[in-house]
Amino acid sequence: MEERVRFYENRLRELEAAAGRPEGSVRLMAVTKTVPPEKVNAALRAGAALVGENRVQELMAKKNQYNCAKSQIHFIGHLQTNKIRDIMNSVSCVQSVDSLRLARALSAAAEKAGVRMDCLLEVNIGMEESKSGFSPEGVLGAAREIAAMPFLTLRGLMTVQPAAASAGHDDRYFRRMQALYLSLKEASLPGAQVDTLSMGMTGDFEEAVRCGATIVRIGRGLFGSRERQDG
């Protein structure tokens, strides 16, 4: 595990340098769907900065065995509104806010829990019917509404690009995400602290970093092939 984490950390530093970006500007997230806690802890010990959980039930079963702070755990999977309360005190960020309805429910749950929750807007950058998320054209309008919600802090955007683009090392979707992210930053929305662009997985993280990603989500590359996941 140490060797795998070291490979990604070294490669991220090389990509940052080649792009003229500050060292450490891209964080490595270990995507831990179906991964036992002992392997997750091994990745954390080796230097993975963040943990990304896809399923509420799995997160609740594993979280107390993780050797990390709540600030290092993000929720990255599809989140049903009736499951929000379960994760409210277990994660520091929900990356997969894919609708205004979910954002409103998340803000209400955060108020009840007495916390403020970081969030990212999930963008369906390829406009794929099989994926949820905001349309590229709808991002700024949704961001204005979510940034105004009192118990959420909008930190940026997240996406999974179409599989064909990933396989073909086609960066057009990542380039569009980069443009959306920069537009969001330039909007300087009250209540938002835009500093996060989460995109890139095992097969396409290099293109993602070249297009401005600040978090790359690696599952298969760290833990090997297993059930299909966001990583």
Side-chain angles (χ1 to χ4, degrees), residues 70 84-85 88-89 106-117 151:
K70 170 186 169 182
I84 291 173
R85 185 175 60 180
M88 188 53 57
N89 291 305
L106 191 63
S107 182
E111 180 178 13
K112 288 181 181 179
V115 300
R116 190 175 182 91
M117 180 64 72
F151 291 88

Side-chain angles (χ1 to χ4, degrees), residues 99-113:
S99 68
L100 290 173
R101 176 174 176 267
L102 177 60
R104 293 186 190 104
L106 191 63
S107 182
E111 180 178 13
K112 288 181 181 179

Side-chain angles (χ1 to χ4, degrees), residues 89-188:
N89 291 305
S90 302
V91 303
S92 62
C93 179
V94 176
Q95 292 201 8
S96 48
V97 174
D98 59 6
S99 68
L100 290 173
R101 176 174 176 267
L102 177 60
R104 293 186 190 104
L106 191 63
S107 182
E111 180 178 13
K112 288 181 181 179
V115 300
R116 190 175 182 91
M117 180 64 72
D118 286 350
C119 68
L120 305 182
L121 269 65
E122 182 176 356
V123 183
N124 186 352
I125 194 62
M127 293 302 293
E128 298 172 273
E129 292 185 4
S130 61
K131 292 179 181 174
S132 58
F134 293 96
S135 69
E137 295 78 14
V139 165
L140 289 179
R144 289 189 184 93
E145 290 196 48
I146 292 173
M149 293 180 187
F151 291 88
L152 299 183
T153 300
L154 177 61
R155 300 296 295 268
L157 307 175
M158 182 270 267
T159 200
V160 179
Q161 72 166 346
S166 176
H169 300 287
D170 178 353
D171 69 1
R172 58 181 159 157
Y173 295 105
F174 287 158
R175 291 292 176 195
R176 190 170 188 190
M177 282 297 300
Q178 183 178 35
L180 285 171
Y181 174 68
L182 293 174
S183 294
L184 182 58
K185 283 181 71 74
E186 290 167 4
S188 299

